[in-house]
Amino acid sequence: MLFAEIDRRLDLEEHPLRRTRLEQFLIEAVRGMPTLNVGQAVRVALQVFDLIDMDRCDNLTQVIQHAWRLPVHPASEWQMMGYRPMTTATPIILDTPREGPVLRENEPEPYYILREMIDAKGHTPVTRREPLHTARGTTAVDSAHSWERRRVMDPDSANVYASFHGEFPRHILAMLGNLWKIGAVATWSSELGNATSRQRVNPAGVTSHPKGPHLDRRDAWYHLDISSRLGRDGFAEICLCVASILSGYSPQVWHNPYVIPQQGPLRMVEIEAASYIVCGRLGAPRRRSSTEWYQAHAKSEEPLPEGFRWDLVLGAATQLEDLLRGDSAPVWTNTGAPLHGE
């Protein structure tokens, strides 16, 4: 339903510039709100797009500034900051997971954007002279919302890629330790010519399940060969390779290692888009070089190519983020089907 709503809203934007700004805002809002899941961030972006002055943005840089400064908080947080919603405010209802010693069901909670809030004197945060004091960083809020940015670090996998690259932050290296959950091993290669990566199914490995985080190339389902000249861009390239697998543009060994489920002319644009979203949400650098996706995304008055599949891109981004955060189980645990050759 949410993906259908994206298509519906885009179809309503008859002017190419407005459609382009909405597309750009959706992508950047999802990147810039990692404390919400992908679906929630999309819902917020769709609801607030008409409330902010996106028509005044001249380029992608200005769109990013709007999206990444979008102050959206639950009503409970606004209350802690001394604000309440205006009578005309429109709540954005999102489910908030509740974690703690006792497992509880998710609870719907109204969220509001900054410009729809007022204080006890009727002042809006925008018109007050003193700065808005955010509750982020306080013990109560960090405790209540620590689930949102959690990274499940398995000590056995966190150090597998510890020496992969000196410029990678420690948390990024730890995330790579979760690649075994799709049966993948990433290695540097100096034999790729002009290619930035090569992702292949390993025929010798598809007859058995990966045994754990310390997976070697011989037993891996996938070999992710990353060009050694990429340097810190290597993480984004790994994300691109994995997005290709999770989106179905590459064989999914846990279903069938010899079948490519998805076909389409926008393969590179769509899997690069998923990688771009996830790198932003994880605090990882995006590619320094201009890719086909980024060129399409940055065009000021030209919408994304016809046929761009939001459901595929956002679905792959969700799976990729969950995988790297360590928040998902190995892909084969939910299939129940024997592997080829077993």
Side-chain angles (χ1 to χ4, degrees), residues 244-319:
S244 181
I245 297 168
L246 295 175
S247 66
Y249 271 126
S250 296
Q252 295 179 330
V253 171
W254 58 98
H255 292 307
N256 191 321
Y258 310 111
V259 174
I260 300 177
Q262 296 285 351
Q263 302 286 342
L266 297 180
R267 172 182 178 269
M268 285 305 299
V269 170
E270 289 172 342
I271 63 176
E272 284 179 353
S275 171
Y276 177 79
I277 290 171
V278 171
C279 285
R281 290 177 62 81
L282 296 179
R286 71 170 183 86
R287 290 284 293 272
R288 286 174 291 190
S289 58
S290 181
T291 63
E292 182 180 359
W293 149 252
Y294 195 76
Q295 291 176 359
H297 179 49
K299 289 180 179 178
S300 294
E301 298 187 25
E302 186 175 333
L304 291 172
E306 187 72 26
F308 183 83
R309 289 181 287 183
W310 288 91
D311 57 340
L312 184 144
V313 170
L314 295 174
T318 298
Q319 294 180 69

Side-chain angles (χ1 to χ4, degrees), residues 25-37:
F25 183 70
L26 280 170
I27 293 291
E28 296 303 335
V30 173
R31 292 182 77 231
M33 290 190 281
T35 56
L36 303 178
N37 65 41

Side-chain angles (χ1 to χ4, degrees), residues 146-166:
S146 61
W147 65 271
E148 296 169 320
R149 296 185 68 93
R150 73 181 184 275
R151 301 184 181 98
V152 182
M153 295 303 181
D154 175 8
D156 196 33
S157 62
N159 295 319
V160 171
Y161 287 86
S163 60
F164 193 71
H165 195 278

